[in-house]
Amino acid sequence: GLYFNTKLYTGTGSSLANTGVGFQPDWVWIKGRSGATEHVLTDSVRGVTKELSSDDTGAEETVAQGLTAFGSDGFTVGTDGSYNTSSATYTSWNWKAGTTSGIVTNASTDITPSAYSFNQTAGFNVFKFTGAGNSGDTVAHGLGAIPEFIIIKVTGTTHGWITYHGALGGTKNLNLETSNAPATAISRWNNTNPDSVNITLGNSNNVNGASTDYICYAFSGKQGYSKFGEYTGNGNAAGPFVYTGFKPAFLMCKRTDDASEWSMFDNKRNTFNVVNHHVYADLPNAEGDDDDLDFTANGFKFRRDAGNTNGSGATYIYAAFAEAPFVNSNGVPCNAR
């Protein structure tokens, strides 16, 4: 991939350079497959060794033997067990950004990020900002398009991972570290959807505490590369087909009418259909295989009755990324073959 790739590796217990990603990543999300280990998330904006875990609310930690370097074709991990236990297996999801200056603001912008790396072509920005503490404060996101998927986390203290999805809108929020159904709280997004320049924040310490530091991962959908949508399950083996316009390389989905885990799939742990190897973003559990789906040329289709992905009449949101992005001159996705 040009902007997203999954890289699998087996731990060695000593410093390990993982190459073959295809680019220098700006966000690396690592999860142990063979054991119950925390998710570990590192990005180029906070810097190497700076760890957050999607399955807990803890503050950022400095892990000297965590992710120790971003390389031109991947990343290096040290000896910490969440990254590199000898003979343990891991998956890493890698996103590329790269532009670190020139973020656009407008007259409505209250907060300008203090550091960032964005890629408007891929619709991704990772950025740091300091909260101002007022309902309705806006922060510039740099995408040049309306964000459809936003994750914000306090870095210095214990708070949840507040998550926005365009299918739910600005009145609702999810927590990445829990299985909870969406909550309604004006204090998160101030009941306001983001626009093409700014994300509107409430006054919660989770997203906009005065003089409090945050990291944000923001995405806008791009034809042939990424899609953030919703679907309804039917609870049977001929499950719903969900059109994305590309063959997914990564899928995360979450039930929204009831509690359920955040299920994560990719095209490297299963290299052909049926895709069933999953981990949960909100749990440290080892990899499971009790959800069946197919990645098709232009979407995904579920093959099992499963509450986390395909419950009868249940509603779900998803985030999907392609293995080969973008469309050809005829408007056909390059990977629809």
Side-chain angles (χ1 to χ4, degrees):
L2 296 175
Y3 301 104
F4 171 81
N5 206 355
T6 300
K7 169 69 179 178
L8 307 181
Y9 65 95
T10 300
T12 61
S14 57
S15 182
L16 175 63
N18 284 295
T19 58
V21 170
F23 52 81
Q24 182 165 319
D26 291 286
W27 186 23
V28 181
W29 180 331
I30 293 171
K31 176 68 182 83
R33 303 172 61 192
S34 52
T37 59
E38 63 183 349
H39 292 253
V40 286
L41 285 64
T42 310
D43 58 72
S44 62
V45 175
R46 291 180 298 123
V48 296
T49 75
K50 302 299 184 184
E51 172 189 298
L52 289 166
S53 297
S54 67
D55 53 292
D56 68 47
T57 60
E60 176 184 277
E61 297 180 50
T62 300
V63 181
Q65 291 297 319
L67 191 150
T68 59
F70 294 102
S72 61
D73 190 30
F75 59 91
T76 300
V77 289
T79 58
D80 184 85
S82 295
Y83 300 80
N84 188 16
T85 294
S86 180
S87 300
T89 56
Y90 297 85
T91 185
S92 72
W93 301 293
N94 301 267
W95 286 266
K96 176 179 173 59
T99 300
T100 57
S101 64
I103 197 167
V104 171
T105 61
N106 64 15
S108 298
T109 304
D110 297 307
I111 302 166
T112 301
S114 57
Y116 49 85
S117 184
F118 68 83
N119 190 309
Q120 291 189 347
T121 306
F124 172 53
N125 190 9
V126 50
F127 62 89
K128 292 196 296 189
F129 70 95
T130 301
N134 308 299
S135 298
D137 283 331
T138 62
V139 59
H141 56 68
L143 296 176
I146 297 173
E148 297 172 69
F149 190 49
I150 304 165
I151 304 167
I152 295 178
K153 174 74 176 77
V154 179
T155 53
T157 56
T158 299
H159 278 295
W161 294 78
I162 307 302
T163 305
Y164 169 94
H165 193 286
L168 297 174
T171 65
K172 302 282 188 181
N173 70 92
L174 287 159
N175 278 58
L176 189 62
E177 82 282 1
T178 76
S179 63
N180 296 352
T184 302
I186 192 173
S187 63
R188 301 316 199 245
W189 312 115
N190 208 48
N191 290 355
T192 306
N193 293 350
D195 63 29
S196 62
V197 176
N198 297 305
I199 297 166
T200 300
L201 305 171
N203 63 357
S204 166
N205 287 333
N206 285 276
V207 294
N208 186 29
S211 303
T212 303
D213 293 329
Y214 300 85
I215 192 74
C216 180
Y217 307 99
F219 296 90
S220 57
K222 296 296 176 182
Q223 184 181 4
Y225 170 64
S226 62
K227 191 168 176 65
F228 309 94
E230 62 182 334
Y231 65 91
T232 301
N234 67 10
N236 64 55
F241 169 73
V242 182
Y243 176 82
T244 61
F246 54 81
K247 186 173 186 178
F250 172 92
L251 174 68
M252 180 161 65
C253 49
K254 168 80 173 78
R255 187 168 178 170
T256 56
D257 64 327
D258 204 347
S260 85
E261 318 306 338
W262 292 82
S263 301
M264 305 175 77
F265 307 88
D266 61 63
N267 67 343
K268 298 294 174 62
R269 290 177 294 153
N270 291 109
T271 57
F272 53 86
N273 293 324
V274 172
V275 176
N276 61 7
H277 291 328
H278 64 77
V279 293
Y280 298 129
D282 54 304
L283 293 172
N285 301 15
E287 183 175 87
D289 61 359
D290 55 349
D291 285 297
D292 290 355
L293 66 148
D294 291 345
F295 286 161
T296 73
N298 59 358
F300 55 95
K301 184 176 179 62
F302 289 97
R303 299 295 189 189
R304 182 189 291 229
D305 175 8
N308 285 319
T309 54
N310 184 30
S312 179
T315 55
Y316 299 85
I317 55 162
Y318 69 88
F321 295 87
E323 57 185 3
F326 310 135
V327 297
N328 64 24
S329 59
N330 298 316
V332 177
C334 299
N335 50 14
R337 60 179 185 270

